[in-house]
């Protein structure tokens, strides 16, 4: 059963080969409300570690022309914070490895100055001027200022099973690993965006928390998740439900597994999982992600011997951003990685051919991109 907490998977995984070419990040996304107007706005916060053995007193940027020419790999802590919707932005601040403190044990923690993250709390600040954002394209960042102080309470996990278990983590067998310790997470606290105060309340935060790590990224890259769900059959909001879909083209060593997704739906306390690595469930997946002039559209169909899940989500491009990362090898191949938190759509859930529910989904975290 996938709803199994395992915070050892949230430990920093940058050891062995991944210390020389590897990344590890902790992602948190949630919804807040303007303290004055009550207007809803989704936010995200991420702590991204890269190539510790290559680091020093200052961050090393892979996108600097001279570093590209010399094939110097990046090395740093990047703190990424941003928002979706009107004025969507991502702001990056970077730190050298000698500046930061990383607890490699359980629970994990990362600290530099007043910036901090662990299982149950995060606080910090990112700020970058328009002048510096323009002057330093290697930062891959927009301009602005965001600060936060949040409590984190993870309610439902998506434990993908043995594929991210202790043995496979030790062997560093996959190119990109995934664990969602809090695919349903409640956040509480405050966040400030360019001087505007936003309140984050547990019951309306519709939060999510996961981590990825490995040697490289995946292409295509697909992610969908929401816990703001309303049953069309029951005619009410589902308070103990969440779904999570992720993957694309996982690689085990040199072998690529084309067009594979992992997904789970925790439906009012009942688990429905579609996990290709659990071969005995005979999971089959078809998905299509497309881009129009105004929107990104996802269609995912998954089946096991007994269950079926059909997911249709749309997010308006005006509410999204092209999220920026460079890989540990110094390459930036994801240049159209669409990322949003305002997706809407439906999920249809079936058991033995019978419709269990048709669910309206809002505040959907969503991502799609391919190398270009």
């Amino acid at each position: 059963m996938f709803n199994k907490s395992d915070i050892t998977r949230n430990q920093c995984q940058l050891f062995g080969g991944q210390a020389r070419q590897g990344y590890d990040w902790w992602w948190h996304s949630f919804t807040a409300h303007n303290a004055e107007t009550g207007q809803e706005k989704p936010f995200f916060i991420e702590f991204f570690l890269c190539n510790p053995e290559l680091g020093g007193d200052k961050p090393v940027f892979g996108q600097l022309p001279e570093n590209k020419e010399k094939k110097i790999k990046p090395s740093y802590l990047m703190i990424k914070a941003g928002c979706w919707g009107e004025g969507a932005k991502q702001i990056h601040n970077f730190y050298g490895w000698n500046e930061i403190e990383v607890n490699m044990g359980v629970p994990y923690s990362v600290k530099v100055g007043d910036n901090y993250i662990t299982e149950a709390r995060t606080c910090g600040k990112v700020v970058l001027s328009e002048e510096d954002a323009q002057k330093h394209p290697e930062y891959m960042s927009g301009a602005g200022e965001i600060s936060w102080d949040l409590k984190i309470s993870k309610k439902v996990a998506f434990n993908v099973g043995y594929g991210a278990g202790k043995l496979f983590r030790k062997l560093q067998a996959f190119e990109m690993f995934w664990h969602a310790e809090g695919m349903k997470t409640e956040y509480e606290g405050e966040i400030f965006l360019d001087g505007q105060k936003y309140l984050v309340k547990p019951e309306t935060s519709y939060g999510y928390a996961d981590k990825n790590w490995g040697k490289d990224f995946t292409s295509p890259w697909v992610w969908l998740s929401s816990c703001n769900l309303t049953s069309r059959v029951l005619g009410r909001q589902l308070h103990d439900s969440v779904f999570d879909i992720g993957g694309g083209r996982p690689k085990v060593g040199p072998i690529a597994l084309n067009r594979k997704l992992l997904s789970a739906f925790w439906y009012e306390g009942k688990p429905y999982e579609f996990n290709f690595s659990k071969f005995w469930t005979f999971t089959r997946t078809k998905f299509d992600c497309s881009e129009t002039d105004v929107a990104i559209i996802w269609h995912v169909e998954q089946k096991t011997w007994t269950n079926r899940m059909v997911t249709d989500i749309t997010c308006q491009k005006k509410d999204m951003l092209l999220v920026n990362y460079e890989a540990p090898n110094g390459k930036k191949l994801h240049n159209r990685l669409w990322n949003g938190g305002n997706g809407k759509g439906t999920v249809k859930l079936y058991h033995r051919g019978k419709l269990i529910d048709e669910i309206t989904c809002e505040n959907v975290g969503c991502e799609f991109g391919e190398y270009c």
Side-chain angles (χ1 to χ4, degrees):
M1 200 269 285
F2 61 80
N3 185 12
K4 182 180 179 182
S5 172
D6 184 357
I7 62 173
T8 65
R9 300 182 183 214
N10 267 6
Q11 286 178 270
C12 182
Q13 302 294 322
L14 297 183
F15 56 84
Q18 288 175 173
R20 296 182 297 277
Q21 183 168 314
Y23 65 91
D24 200 346
W25 83 58
W26 296 266
W27 170 273
H28 297 76
S29 52
F30 53 90
T31 297
H33 290 82
N34 188 294
E36 294 182 1
T37 68
Q39 184 178 10
E40 180 180 282
K41 194 163 193 65
F43 288 86
F44 58 89
I45 297 164
E46 180 182 55
F47 281 57
F48 179 104
L49 295 171
C50 185
N51 292 345
E53 283 196 6
L54 308 181
D57 293 337
K58 296 182 179 180
V60 180
F61 300 101
Q63 297 308 297
L64 277 173
E66 55 266 37
N67 287 348
K68 284 185 177 181
E69 185 177 345
K70 296 176 183 178
K71 297 184 178 180
I72 293 174
K73 298 176 184 178
S75 179
Y76 46 66
L77 162 65
M78 176 178 72
I79 301 179
K80 174 197 288 281
C83 61
W84 297 296
E86 184 179 354
K89 65 174 66 182
Q90 59 190 317
I91 306 167
H92 298 164
N93 284 177
F94 295 86
Y95 301 89
W97 272 91
N98 291 348
E99 299 180 83
I100 68 177
E101 301 173 30
V102 179
N103 179 8
M104 300 290 287
V106 177
Y108 86 94
S109 66
V110 181
K111 186 178 188 301
V112 56
D114 293 329
N115 301 286
Y116 178 72
I117 193 166
T118 189
E119 289 289 348
R121 183 170 180 252
T122 181
C123 57
K125 179 179 180 179
V126 293
V127 59
L128 193 68
S129 69
E130 187 66 48
E131 180 183 0
D132 282 342
Q134 294 294 326
K135 187 178 178 181
H136 294 280
E138 70 273 16
Y139 294 171
M140 307 174 291
S141 177
E145 180 177 325
I146 297 177
S147 60
W148 65 92
D149 191 348
L150 298 167
K151 296 178 182 177
I152 304 168
S153 179
K154 298 171 184 177
K155 300 299 184 182
V156 179
F158 181 16
N159 185 320
V160 301
Y162 67 87
K166 187 175 181 180
L167 176 61
F168 281 83
R169 297 199 306 272
K170 185 176 181 179
L171 294 174
Q172 301 181 348
F174 284 90
E175 192 170 66
M176 185 176 189
F177 288 84
W178 183 34
H179 176 64
E181 182 65 22
M183 69 168 173
K184 180 179 173 66
T185 295
E186 293 180 353
Y187 293 88
E188 183 177 9
E190 298 176 346
I191 187 163
F192 291 82
L193 169 64
D194 295 329
Q196 286 286 317
K197 181 179 179 180
Y198 289 79
L199 302 177
V200 186
K201 298 180 180 180
E203 63 273 16
T204 56
S205 60
Y206 308 122
Y208 179 86
D210 76 356
K211 71 169 297 189
N212 288 97
W213 70 96
K215 299 181 181 71
D216 205 347
F217 308 136
T218 186
S219 178
W221 186 327
V222 178
W223 171 59
L224 296 166
S225 184
S226 175
C227 59
N228 186 6
L229 307 173
T230 302
S231 167
R232 295 185 179 181
V233 171
L234 301 176
R236 63 171 176 83
Q237 191 169 17
L238 301 174
H239 295 290
D240 187 22
S241 296
V242 57
F243 77 90
D244 200 5
I245 300 171
R249 190 172 181 263
K251 289 182 71 176
V252 187
I255 302 171
L257 307 175
N258 198 32
R259 301 185 72 79
K260 298 290 186 181
L261 299 180
L262 300 164
S263 73
F265 199 129
W266 183 255
Y267 177 79
E268 297 299 270
K270 295 181 180 179
Y272 296 87
E273 185 174 13
F274 303 86
N275 186 334
F276 69 87
S277 71
K278 297 181 179 180
F279 57 88
W280 55 91
T281 65
F282 194 48
T283 295
R284 292 146 288 165
T285 297
K286 294 180 181 179
F287 69 89
D288 179 66
C289 304
S290 58
E291 178 179 346
T292 71
D293 290 341
V294 298
I296 306 295
I297 301 166
W298 294 259
H299 175 75
V300 182
E301 294 190 37
Q302 294 183 284
K303 298 178 182 179
T304 65
W305 290 113
T306 56
N307 301 316
R308 179 172 174 241
M309 179 172 161
V310 181
T311 306
D312 288 287
I313 302 295
T314 299
C315 195
Q316 300 300 309
K317 289 163 74 172
K318 66 180 178 61
D319 292 328
M320 305 179 75
L321 53 82
L322 292 169
V323 69
N324 287 323
Y325 298 99
E326 59 182 352
N329 60 13
K331 296 180 180 179
K332 188 177 185 298
L333 300 179
H334 268 301
N335 295 301
R336 289 190 67 79
L337 183 55
W338 287 99
N339 174 273
N342 289 334
K344 296 181 179 180
T346 61
V347 172
K348 294 179 181 178
L349 193 60
Y350 299 84
H351 179 66
R352 299 191 185 279
K354 182 180 179 181
L355 179 69
I356 297 171
D357 206 342
E358 182 174 356
I359 299 118
T360 299
C361 314
E362 299 177 274
N363 300 86
V364 180
C366 47
E367 202 159 32
F368 172 67
E370 296 184 85
Y371 287 157
C372 63

